[in-house]
Amino acid sequence: MIQFALVTPPASIKQLRVAALAGGVGGAKLAHGLATLLPPENLSIIVNTGDDFEHLGLKICPDLDTVLYTLAGRSNPTTGWGLTGDTFNVLDALGCFDAPTWFRLGDCDLATHLWRSELLRRGMLLTKVTNMLSHALGVRQPILPMCDMPMPTRILTDQGEMDFQVYFVQHACRPAVRAFHWPQVGNAKPSAEVIAALDTADVVVFCPSNPFVSIDPILMLPGVRERVNSRLSIAVSPILDGVAVKGPAAKMFSEVGIKPSAQAVASHYAGLLKGFILDKVDEAQIAQVRALGMEAAAIPTLMPGLLERTAVAQYVLEFALHLL
Ligand code: GDP
C-alpha cells in the first residue's frame, strides 16, 4: 500500500518553526530562551505595539525595545526596561526645564528612539526600522511589530480613560481597571511579515505576557486569531500562585472580576490553545485546565536568567513536538 506523507513532521525541537507572541518583560524572557535553542530562521517574535506612544517628539516602542535589548544581551535585568549601565543625563537636564521626566529614558536608550523616529519620519515602516535596529545590535531573529500602523491601548479606569503609558508608568498602575479599548483597531492590520510567520509556523507560543494588554492586541488584528487557531498553539502562564511576577496582570484580572490564577489565564485563551504550561506551584490546577479542552503540564517557569529561560523554552518545544 502506498502511503502519502504530505508534510514531514519536525523530528527534533531544532526543526520546529516557531512564532512567539510577546509583550515586554515576560515575553522577552521566553523569547530569549527560544532564541538560544532554535536556529534564527526558525523563530519569529511577534511583538505587541499597543504600548507604543509619542513622547517628547519621539516614537517609543517599549515592548519591541525590551525584546530587542534582551536578545541583544543588553537589557537591564533590574528594571526590566532600558539598557544595562545606561545613564540619565539628558533626562536630568530636561528636569531642569520642568519638562516631563516620568517616563524614564536613558541616554543610550534615547539613541534608539531618536533614530527610529527619524527613520519613520523618512517614511520607513516600523517593521523595516525594527529590522535595521535588530541587525545593528546583532540580533538575527526577526522581531516583528504586530502591525505598522498605530494601535494604542486605552485603559478605562475608575479615574477616567487614559493612554496605556499614563496608566502604566505615570500612575504606576494604581487606578482600578474597568475595561480595555483599542480605538484604532478598525484601521489596523498585521504586517505581511506577521502573516507569513504565522502561516509557516509549526507552533505558536504565547509567551508569559499580560493577556489583556500584551497578547490580546495581537490576537485582535484581522486574520491573526484564525491563523493562531489553525496552528498548534501553546501558552506559558504569566500568573504563578495567583500573582504576576511583575506588572499589573493579576490586579487586572481581579479588577475585571476574575480571580487571578493560571487557570484564569488558560480560560482567557480557551478555544485557541492546544497546550498550556503552568508553574509547578499551580500543579493542582492541571485537571481544571485540561477540562478547558487543552493539554496541560506544570514546570518551574520563573526565568530570571538564561539558564531558566532555556530550560522553559526547551520544555515548551518538547511539549509542542509531543502534541504535533
Ligand atoms: P510588559 O509589556 O513589560 O508588561 O511585559 P509582558 O506583558 O511581556 O510581561 C508581563 C508578564 O510577564 C507579567 O504578567 C509577569 O507575571 C510575567 N512574567 C515576568 N517574568 C516572568 C517569569 O520569569 N516567568 C513567568 N512565568 N512569567 C513572568
Side-chain angles (χ1 to χ4, degrees), residues 231-254:
R231 322 313 298 174
L232 173 77
S233 300
I234 294 176
V236 177
S237 178
I239 302 284
L240 292 74
D241 204 14
V243 294
V245 180
K246 201 172 195 301
K251 182 174 177 282
M252 285 173 169
F253 268 106
S254 300

Side-chain angles (χ1 to χ4, degrees), residues 21-30 48 51 62-63 66-67 80-81 164-165 168 207-211 213-215 236-240 243-250 277-279 300-305 308-309 312:
L21 311 185
V25 178
K29 288 181 183 176
L30 185 56
N48 168 47
D51 297 12
D63 286 355
T66 298
V67 173
W81 50 266
F164 180 77
Q165 294 302 339
F168 193 67
C207 292
S209 291
N210 186 311
V213 293
S214 292
I215 302 294
V236 177
S237 178
I239 302 284
L240 292 74
V243 294
V245 180
K246 201 172 195 301
I277 295 175
L278 333 75
D279 193 87
T301 67
L302 268 182
M303 299 178 280
E308 296 87 356
R309 293 170 193 184
V312 175

Side-chain angles (χ1 to χ4, degrees), residues 266-322:
S267 178
H268 186 85
Y269 296 135
L272 275 180
L273 297 180
K274 314 271 186 314
F276 190 77
I277 295 175
L278 333 75
D279 193 87
K280 200 81 183 154
V281 292
D282 295 317
E283 202 162 13
Q285 294 174 37
I286 283 188
Q288 293 157 277
V289 173
R290 286 192 180 137
L292 294 166
M294 57 189 90
E295 192 41 80
I299 59 163
T301 67
L302 268 182
M303 299 178 280
L306 189 54
L307 206 66
E308 296 87 356
R309 293 170 193 184
T310 311
V312 175
Q314 168 110 21
Y315 192 87
V316 168
L317 297 175
E318 279 167 5
F319 192 47
L321 209 54
H322 166 74

